Amino acid sequence: MEPLAEALGVSVLELMKSEKIVETNIQCGDADTVLTDTIKAAEHQKQVERQQEKRMILITIGAVAMLSIFALFIDNIGWRMENILFTSVGVVLPITSIIGFFVLLIISLIRRIRGKSCKQTMAAALVFGGIVAAVVFATFVLALFAFPGQR
């Protein structure tokens, strides 16, 4: 920060406060307060970045686990197209959507209780719920047309 302050022709304290100080004498208490606030802000930013990183790691692990399960399903059922479609649309998609719906719903409620914004999380949960509803509805409609005599 010192080279930047020097290049701008201001003191480090003026740079951190983002304002020009008219006094030539800077009080020690003011400098301590500004430095303490800057250090706290930097530590908070690091903590937020660590949390985001942990979240991305968990998402990646979950995605890899789901892909592994899907690969095992495909391996066990053979490589026929109708089996792959049935497994992906009829098994993996609904299970993933149901789990995603409940997990995101719980996260949304926790965020709501903590007083944080939960609109995006709730919207994502509703998307997963909509996928489940669409799969169930499509299965029902297809069953009506595929087996018209058995109602």
Side-chain angles (χ1 to χ4, degrees), residues 57-78:
I57 289 170
L58 290 174
I59 289 170
T60 303
I61 290 171
V64 168
M66 292 304 296
L67 288 173
S68 299
I69 291 170
F70 185 71
L72 289 173
F73 273 129
I74 290 176
D75 188 44
N76 286 333
I77 62 174

Side-chain angles (χ1 to χ4, degrees), residues 31-108:
D32 284 344
T33 304
V34 170
L35 285 173
T36 303
D37 291 345
T38 303
I39 291 170
K40 284 181 183 178
E43 289 173 349
H44 176 71
Q45 182 63 30
K46 282 184 180 180
Q47 184 180 16
V48 167
E49 289 173 2
R50 278 191 227 118
Q51 288 175 345
Q52 289 174 345
E53 185 177 9
K54 286 179 186 177
R55 211 174 287 135
M56 289 306 300
I57 289 170
L58 290 174
I59 289 170
T60 303
I61 290 171
V64 168
M66 292 304 296
L67 288 173
S68 299
I69 291 170
F70 185 71
L72 289 173
F73 273 129
I74 290 176
D75 188 44
N76 286 333
I77 62 174
W79 289 96
R80 294 195 326 241
M81 183 55 95
E82 61 271 4
N83 289 343
I84 293 172
L85 286 173
F86 173 76
T87 302
S88 61
V89 175
V91 177
V92 175
L93 182 65
I95 289 173
T96 305
S97 298
I98 290 169
I99 292 170
F101 172 74
F102 283 114
V103 168
L104 289 172
L105 186 64
I106 291 168
I107 290 172
S108 177

Side-chain angles (χ1 to χ4, degrees), residues 104-131:
L104 289 172
L105 186 64
I106 291 168
I107 290 172
S108 177
L109 292 174
I110 290 170
R111 289 182 64 85
R112 178 75 177 211
I113 290 170
R114 292 182 179 171
K116 296 181 180 178
S117 173
C118 63
K119 291 179 184 177
Q120 291 179 343
T121 310
M122 184 61 79
L126 292 176
V127 166
F128 279 109
I131 291 170

